[in-house]
Amino acid sequence: GTTMDPPDAPDGNLRQNVGGNGDGAIELQPLVAASRSNGPMDAPEDDVVPSPSSFARKVARSSEPPASATQVAWARTNAANGTNGAAVENVASALSNEGINNGLQRISLAMQQSYAAARGHFAGEGEGGVASSNGAPPAADSNAAAPADSDKRKKMLLLLMATLFVALLGAGLDKFTAVEAEKELEAGEQDPAFHEHTSDKKEVDKPAIHLINVEGYRPTEMVNASDFILPGTENAPPLSAAKGRPYYPILNHFQHRDPKSPYAQQWGYFDFEDPDPKWDGKMRPHPDFDGVPNRDVLNADFPDSAWQNDEEYMTSFLAQAKLLVNRSIEAVYAEYGVGIPADGSVTLTEEQYVHRDQFAPFVLKETINTPAGGSWSTKKSFDGIARRMIHHIMTGDTFKLTLGGHSAAAGHGAGFNQSYIIEAGHVLEPVFAHLGVEFRAYNFAQGGMGTMQQAMAGMDLRSKETDWIMWDSRMTERPPSIANFFLRQALISGNRAPVLMGEGVNVNEFHEKAGAAIAAQGMGWVPVTVSDEQVKEVPWAAQWLQCARGATTDCKKHEYTAGCWVEREDFKPRPQGAIVGGQAGWHPGNRIHKRRGRMIALIVLRSLAYALDKWETLAAESGYPIAEEHWHVTEYYKSIREKAPTVGGCYGNSWKIGQKRHLEEIEADNNNVTTAADGRNLDEGDFWPSRLCNVPLQGRSLWGPRHNPMESSLLSIMRANDKGDIDPGIKNNAYIDKPCYNPPDRPAPWTVPPSTEPFAPLIGASRRLDVEEHKPRQLRGMDGSLFGNAQGVSTIIDEAEVHISTSIQNTTRVLAEGDEAVATAAVDKNAIVPGYGMNVKWGRPGVCDGSSHHWCDKTCESGCLMGGGQDNRGMVCFDGFSGWVIFDIKNVKSGFIGARMEPWHGPAETPITAAWKEVNNGGNGNYDKTGRERLLHEEYQEQQMHEGVERMKQEIEEDIQHENDPGRRLGGGQSCGMAGDYTFEYAINGTIVSWNQAKFCEHFTRLNYNLDVIKFMDDESKTGNFELAMRMTNVGRAQVMCITHLYWA
């Protein structure tokens, strides 16, 4: 394995101790071999880098950045004047890679070395310039040679001083460069104030500004998160759920960077421009990546002038990319007081160096059994990740980091945008953007739940393009088979085979048998808090994070800092809460989330550094582009997916998918345990088939957050009635509700340092936060009118940034259309056509897609508009008067259809049928209502919808309080009905099956905590497209049935 320490060299090269440590672990130094007195130092190949953990750590540079103008000038001076090349190169390296302060100290050393070398050179010359065997001059000529030697030494010193002057001038022009900023900073940023670091700081000169043209690279239009449009949402306004949140795609290596930012001047920036002037400010040509699976084009498909072919472009790009990654890793260390900026303005103490080594230990293991403490991965995994990352950079692909978990992982109490997976994304997104990759972090954790309700839908709710997935739900899902199922479906159900991580999950067999890449996140040292006075000297990110024994302050009292609102000039909401709700003993606060997110980001950054090094190494062998076998991903993904079913640990011979519904039955099973060896068929009965472990599952839901919420919505496969309505009870589809106010939120002081302490997301982006430059933008609707809010005040958004997609993808179809459907229903009360009496509980409005790039739940009724919670429990409900609910299920391959159902609700969930006495209100539902009666009905329905959202939120909070209740988790489940007997009917392709309450309860199976399901079809011979219809009869309004998820395979 390889142990990675803090950054090791400002050139971004990964340091390896190839000798290992005797137990199979190879040490990878963190990328700055820092001098104890002089700040970061670019260690020559054979330098010994002092470290408390390894005082004899030899480092090896894998590659060097391209020669700077300063180095070229020196080379010419050397050639013309015969100056000692090694010493001058040492000076060049010092100035170009370290900064002036550190460079001057090494120049002084270089001058001494040069002078000593000059003395040795002249002292060693004999007649004809040949030295004697012992290095001494012939005695007879010593006196005659002395005057000449003295003159040559003087000449050498004069030449060296002249070289030093050229070097200093070149360094000032060559070291500190920046890229012209785009015209407008991204919304939601502010200017941080300066704050003294706990380490000593040095004054450094501010760099000059290097301007290039970036305007030509900027995309000309925005795109939407989803182009899927439900019937009736064609004219939905921007920022509604029907439109998704529009954003500019990332297409190139010329993203925004701010040359005036104090971060850029202290830490450096992505100083890259196209080396070919002909392409200045213009996009280079590229092949049609979308025309082949996984964008795996052939090398021959790249046009001659594509950047992937250009050695000069690639050499410069990779050098800057490595510096970028190194800078971002170092910035995370600096947030906790043990990092060193590129300009050498901070000097660590000996104690800080000890803590630096302890801060984020990481081991890259040679084999899965190599011991490791802290975070780790394997070389085999890093090689697979390198393939993926090189591919994504070469093809401009996306990179998605995904989390599934319970309420603690969701960020309850800390705020959604401060949850740890989103915090990791804050660091990683700008880094990948500079490399031309759109990186997104997604938090799909749900309070009061586990993850199985998502995993049963394969990757449809979590994104089929996930690259890295993490499971964190031990509190609510303790059986290891559940985590195994979650990760297994991630491998086999998506379009990619993601890297696997899990809190307390055994991922080793996925690595050994399937070849999946794996990683594990650990922790390390953090500064401690002792008192309210001492904490002022602790780095901001670590304040009250961990209290020392005997501390006179209480860290717990400072755990939750996220607020609900930051005042703005254009909108005043109803009174907001002081802090985000959801605090509980098992819900970590903001600082804990940030710390864990930084540790995850470091793993990804280290794997990226490894990939960049490998890219250079492969190119040295075969040139650019590197051979397809090293960067194509299709066969790599396919191999892992095909081998994943061979991994043990899922359901099958050892356990069933599902549990009996009553505690006494579970206890009986526990007292009479049987196994496959006893000959028991564990797939029988109403438990779901264990073959679902190894077939790609699909699904739709109204729960959230979920990826691409329009396309993954249960409503996307629900058939509209003959009036064109999915929800006949309200005037407008709730997906087109506009928010109470428009983005962006004002910068939150609890999310960023109150000063210019190091802040990793902005150091990686080379940008700043600036309230003064925040420009208000105006959002207009389809008709050009300004969007308003409850107070009649508009938030302004630039209408040029709003791009409305006109594409319509209507997947709904009706069995009979128009008047024919009405006539059919009138003649035959049992005709399977969509009814008029179902009620859709839409849940939180807005784009609740699990990312921080959302505009979710911005309703005027909210008491915490900036809490960001995306937990969502929508559903479709129907009673005995509602009629049929119909779903069109496509692409069934393994003969399975099932659903998560909730039969315990009352009449409040179907307000549309409140005054009805028969099915569909006798034939036409509420469509006969006109004028004021219709208006009042619609207002009533919308009021009920909002009240339903509040009930949903309360249910989530109640379930969260029971997350630690083993009895509730293991058995019982919810009621099969609350109003006595009823008839539940379902029909597949027109064949109707009827169950009374007792029969329904027999089939109602508990899969997991708060996950109760019904199986509708289980026949491997059945494939294709199916119509699934369901309804309640013989119960009126007394019994309501709701469906939240639909699954098939």
Side-chain angles (χ1 to χ4, degrees):
T2 300
T3 300
M4 288 186 173
D5 299 327
D8 210 36
D11 61 6
N13 291 325
L14 199 62
R15 306 301 192 189
Q16 292 195 58
N17 177 356
V18 295
N21 58 13
D23 60 0
I26 303 171
E27 288 197 53
L28 288 190
Q29 302 269 10
L31 302 172
V32 168
S35 163
R36 285 293 193 268
S37 59
N38 300 331
M41 181 182 295
D42 184 27
E45 290 190 9
D46 293 322
D47 279 358
V48 174
V49 182
S51 166
S53 59
S54 177
F55 287 96
R57 211 178 265 164
K58 186 175 289 186
V59 294
R61 177 171 304 140
S62 59
S63 61
E64 294 293 342
S68 66
T70 307
Q71 293 167 312
V72 172
W74 260 315
R76 291 174 178 169
T77 305
N78 295 343
N81 301 297
T83 311
N84 180 277
V88 174
E89 177 62 26
N90 200 13
V91 177
S93 177
L95 283 175
S96 62
N97 290 330
E98 298 175 352
I100 299 299
N101 289 340
N102 294 334
L104 287 174
Q105 298 186 48
R106 287 193 64 179
I107 289 168
S108 175
L109 175 61
M111 290 176 64
Q112 298 175 38
Q113 293 172 342
S114 180
Y115 181 72
R119 288 177 59 88
H121 172 73
F122 293 120
E125 287 183 356
E127 288 185 2
V130 179
S132 64
S133 61
N134 61 5
D141 297 328
S142 60
N143 292 333
D149 292 350
S150 178
D151 290 340
K152 290 180 180 179
R153 285 195 295 272
K154 291 177 181 178
K155 180 180 179 181
M156 175 66 72
L157 289 175
L158 289 173
L159 288 173
L160 188 60
M161 294 299 294
T163 302
L164 174 60
F165 175 79
V166 173
L168 288 170
L169 180 62
L173 298 174
D174 188 60
K175 170 63 180 175
F176 301 108
T177 58
V179 178
E180 169 79 345
E182 293 179 15
K183 291 181 179 180
E184 184 178 321
L185 290 176
E186 225 175 64
E189 301 187 12
Q190 66 179 350
D191 202 340
F194 277 93
H195 180 92
E196 287 300 313
H197 195 274
T198 55
S199 306
D200 295 334
K201 303 190 74 170
K202 302 178 182 179
E203 293 294 328
V204 293
D205 295 331
K206 291 186 177 181
I209 302 301
H210 175 208
L211 306 178
I212 69 166
N213 173 18
V214 296
E215 194 64 29
Y217 300 106
R218 189 175 183 184
T220 57
E221 67 175 357
M222 302 185 86
V223 297
N224 291 314
S226 173
D227 284 328
F228 184 92
I229 298 179
L230 289 176
T233 66
E234 294 85 350
N235 295 325
L239 302 179
S240 66
K243 285 300 179 186
R245 183 171 183 176
Y247 60 91
Y248 283 120
I250 293 168
L251 299 173
N252 54 68
H253 307 143
F254 305 95
Q255 303 302 309
H256 170 72
R257 60 211 85 173
D258 184 358
K260 300 177 182 178
S261 164
Y263 286 125
Q265 297 182 52
Q266 184 181 20
W267 290 87
Y269 41 82
F270 193 66
D271 184 18
F272 176 72
E273 62 180 326
D274 198 318
D276 189 341
K278 142 173 119 169
W279 295 104
D280 183 31
K282 293 185 291 186
M283 295 285 289
R284 288 209 184 200
H286 58 78
D288 179 14
F289 294 117
D290 294 329
V292 294
N294 296 304
R295 305 171 74 87
D296 273 350
V297 298
L298 301 176
N299 282 354
D301 293 334
F302 288 108
D304 291 340
S305 51
W307 62 264
Q308 293 90 341
N309 288 330
D310 191 323
E311 182 175 2
E312 186 179 8
Y313 187 109
M314 287 299 306
T315 300
S316 178
F317 169 69
L318 288 178
Q320 285 298 319
K322 292 167 73 175
L323 288 168
L324 169 68
V325 175
N326 178 35
R327 177 165 59 248
S328 299
I329 293 175
E330 192 67 49
V332 173
Y333 277 72
E335 286 184 313
Y336 295 87
V338 290
I340 306 170
D343 67 352
S345 58
V346 173
T347 300
L348 300 183
T349 66
E350 190 69 28
E351 181 182 12
Q352 286 172 322
Y353 271 99
V354 173
H355 294 321
R356 178 181 171 89
D357 286 340
Q358 300 167 341
F359 172 67
F362 182 89
V363 174
L364 190 61
K365 305 199 294 188
E366 286 291 344
T367 69
I368 197 69
N369 296 319
T370 303
S375 301
W376 60 267
S377 185
T378 67
K379 187 176 184 302
K380 178 180 177 181
S381 296
F382 262 37
D383 284 334
I385 296 171
R387 172 189 296 274
R388 184 190 307 265
M389 288 186 170
I390 293 171
H391 169 273
H392 288 7
I393 296 171
M394 286 185 66
T395 66
D397 211 341
T398 61
F399 196 106
K400 291 181 170 65
L401 171 65
T402 294
L403 169 71
H406 53 63
S407 58
H412 287 224
F416 179 87
N417 286 332
Q418 286 77 58
S419 62
Y420 67 79
I421 205 72
I422 300 298
E423 285 283 7
H426 292 333
V427 175
L428 295 169
E429 284 187 18
V431 174
F432 278 82
H434 282 307
L435 307 184
V437 174
E438 182 184 280
F439 185 102
R440 290 290 183 266
Y442 292 91
N443 188 344
F444 296 124
Q446 295 176 331
M449 290 298 300
T451 61
M452 197 173 181
Q453 74 281 354
Q454 294 174 339
M456 285 302 304
M459 293 300 287
D460 284 357
L461 308 182
R462 301 179 285 170
S463 175
K464 288 180 176 289
E465 281 70 47
T466 291
D467 288 285
W468 199 304
I469 192 165
M470 185 170 182
W471 181 89
D472 182 8
S473 192
R474 281 194 299 174
M475 184 183 300
T476 56
E477 296 177 316
R478 295 180 185 176
S481 52
I482 297 177
N484 181 291
F485 184 85
F486 176 92
L487 297 175
R488 181 184 300 258
Q489 281 295 320
L491 292 179
I492 68 175
S493 295
N495 298 328
R496 305 179 184 181
V499 184
L500 306 181
M501 289 179 67
E503 177 68 17
V505 179
N506 184 357
V507 294
N508 293 5
E509 198 171 354
F510 286 110
H511 178 270
E512 296 296 280
K513 288 190 175 182
I518 61 174
Q521 171 255 316
M523 302 299 279
W525 171 89
V526 293
V528 297
T529 295
V530 176
S531 66
D532 290 336
E533 188 62 30
Q534 174 266 350
V535 76
K536 298 174 183 177
E537 305 300 321
V538 174
W540 177 79
Q543 290 176 349
W544 288 288
L545 180 59
Q546 180 175 317
C547 274
R549 289 186 178 181
T552 59
T553 186
D554 186 356
C555 284
K556 195 68 178 177
K557 289 183 178 179
H558 297 272
E559 184 169 2
Y560 302 102
T561 63
C564 289
W565 186 248
V566 175
E567 294 301 324
R568 52 193 294 159
E569 67 282 356
D570 59 349
F571 173 69
K572 185 175 179 60
R574 58 168 285 190
Q576 298 287 288
I579 57 176
V580 175
Q583 298 160 24
W586 58 94
H587 290 169
N590 309 66
R591 295 179 179 89
I592 297 174
H593 274 283
K594 183 185 291 290
R595 163 72 169 157
R596 188 174 184 187
R598 295 301 193 259
M599 295 302 100
I600 294 171
L602 284 177
I603 298 174
V604 179
L605 288 170
R606 281 167 167 150
S607 68
L608 178 55
Y610 183 96
L612 297 173
D613 277 342
K614 185 169 184 177
W615 198 348
E616 283 188 331
T617 300
L618 292 170
E621 299 171 356
S622 60
Y624 295 103
I626 61 174
E628 295 158 4
E629 64 187 85
H630 298 305
W631 68 272
H632 276 192
V633 295
T634 299
E635 291 303 315
Y636 173 70
Y637 294 158
K638 180 181 177 182
S639 174
I640 295 172
R641 283 198 297 264
E642 289 178 346
K643 294 175 183 176
T646 67
V647 177
C650 192
Y651 299 94
N653 289 334
S654 62
W655 192 247
K656 302 175 182 179
I657 298 183
Q659 298 174 4
K660 295 182 179 179
R661 296 205 45 78
H662 301 292
L663 285 172
E664 60 271 17
E665 293 176 319
I666 294 174
E667 292 169 359
D669 273 355
N670 290 337
N671 294 329
N672 186 26
V673 177
T674 57
T675 66
D678 301 317
R680 181 181 178 186
N681 180 359
L682 297 181
D683 279 345
E684 66 185 359
D686 295 309
F687 293 94
W688 282 21
S690 59
R691 63 188 172 90
L692 296 183
C693 281
N694 294 321
V695 295
L697 288 162
Q698 303 177 69
R700 297 292 185 269
S701 177
L702 274 173
W703 280 25
R706 61 183 185 272
H707 184 259
N708 217 349
M710 286 297 290
E711 293 187 22
S712 60
S713 170
L714 183 62
L715 303 181
S716 70
I717 60 172
M718 181 174 160
R719 191 178 301 175
N721 64 27
D722 63 295
K723 310 295 185 184
D725 290 333
I726 290 175
D727 185 354
I730 58 175
K731 178 180 180 181
N732 289 321
N733 185 319
Y735 276 169
I736 64 174
D737 279 358
K738 61 188 179 185
C740 191
Y741 68 105
N742 295 317
D745 278 323
R746 294 299 181 256
W750 56 85
T751 62
V752 295
S755 58
T756 54
E757 284 203 19
F759 188 47
L762 296 191
I763 290 172
S766 301
R767 53 197 325 168
R768 63 181 172 188
L769 295 175
D770 194 342
V771 174
E772 297 302 321
E773 295 190 31
H774 173 79
K775 297 180 180 180
R777 298 177 294 170
Q778 191 161 344
L779 181 65
R780 296 179 181 272
M782 292 291 294
D783 60 356
S785 61
L786 293 176
F787 274 17
N789 53 49
Q791 284 73 30
V793 182
S794 297
T795 302
I796 300 176
I797 253 188
D798 183 0
E799 60 185 301
E801 293 189 349
V802 178
H803 168 69
I804 304 298
S805 171
T806 57
S807 65
I808 298 176
Q809 182 179 355
N810 185 347
T811 64
T812 60
R813 58 185 178 88
V814 294
L815 201 63
E817 297 183 1
D819 294 337
E820 181 182 350
V822 177
T824 301
V827 173
D828 183 2
K829 298 292 185 180
N830 292 318
I832 301 177
V833 295
Y836 297 142
M838 70 283 302
N839 183 66
V840 177
K841 288 189 66 174
W842 298 85
R844 298 180 193 262
V847 187
C848 305
D849 67 348
S851 79
S852 60
H853 297 263
H854 68 276
W855 200 242
C856 175
D857 199 25
K858 302 294 186 178
T859 64
C860 298
E861 295 81 12
S862 173
C864 192
L865 284 164
M866 292 179 65
Q870 297 196 30
D871 287 30
N872 197 353
R873 295 190 184 179
M875 53 190 174
V876 177
C877 297
F878 51 97
D879 60 28
F881 294 152
S882 297
W884 288 98
V885 180
I886 304 176
F887 300 96
D888 291 308
I889 303 172
K890 298 185 177 182
N891 198 29
V892 174
K893 295 181 178 180
S894 298
F896 180 84
I897 299 175
R900 182 187 181 279
M901 308 289 288
E902 296 187 359
W904 54 83
H905 293 287
E909 304 303 344
T910 53
I912 187 173
T913 65
W916 294 9
K917 302 299 181 183
E918 56 182 316
V919 176
N920 290 328
N921 200 18
N924 212 25
N926 287 330
Y927 288 103
D928 290 335
K929 296 181 185 294
T930 59
R932 179 172 175 78
E933 183 185 17
R934 177 71 180 177
L935 177 63
L936 291 174
H937 172 72
E938 290 169 350
E939 291 176 350
Y940 168 73
Q941 289 290 117
E942 293 202 17
Q943 177 186 350
Q944 292 296 303
M945 181 183 69
H946 292 303
E947 291 178 1
V949 171
E950 294 307 311
R951 287 197 303 273
M952 175 200 74
K953 294 178 181 179
Q954 183 61 35
E955 288 173 6
I956 292 173
E957 291 303 317
E958 290 176 359
D959 278 339
I960 288 171
Q961 298 305 315
H962 291 281
E963 281 181 327
N964 269 329
D965 182 350
R968 180 164 180 173
R969 180 176 60 254
L970 291 177
Q974 297 285 2
S975 167
C976 296
M978 301 177 63
D981 202 11
Y982 57 79
T983 300
F984 173 79
E985 295 184 332
Y986 72 91
I988 296 179
N989 288 352
T991 301
I992 299 176
V993 176
S994 297
W995 292 336
N996 61 16
Q997 183 189 31
K999 196 68 174 177
F1000 180 92
C1001 204
E1002 286 180 16
H1003 291 270
F1004 201 35
T1005 301
R1006 165 143 288 204
L1007 297 191
N1008 190 28
Y1009 173 71
N1010 205 1
L1011 179 54
D1012 300 283
V1013 295
I1014 283 289
K1015 180 173 62 178
F1016 295 113
M1017 186 170 75
D1018 185 9
D1019 184 345
E1020 291 184 76
S1021 67
K1022 294 183 178 179
T1023 61
N1025 301 333
F1026 294 87
E1027 172 195 277
L1028 172 66
M1030 58 187 74
R1031 70 175 178 177
M1032 299 288 285
T1033 63
N1034 302 323
V1035 72
R1037 299 192 68 243
Q1039 175 64 49
V1040 174
M1041 183 72 70
C1042 300
I1043 177 172
T1044 65
H1045 298 70
L1046 194 54
Y1047 307 119
W1048 66 94

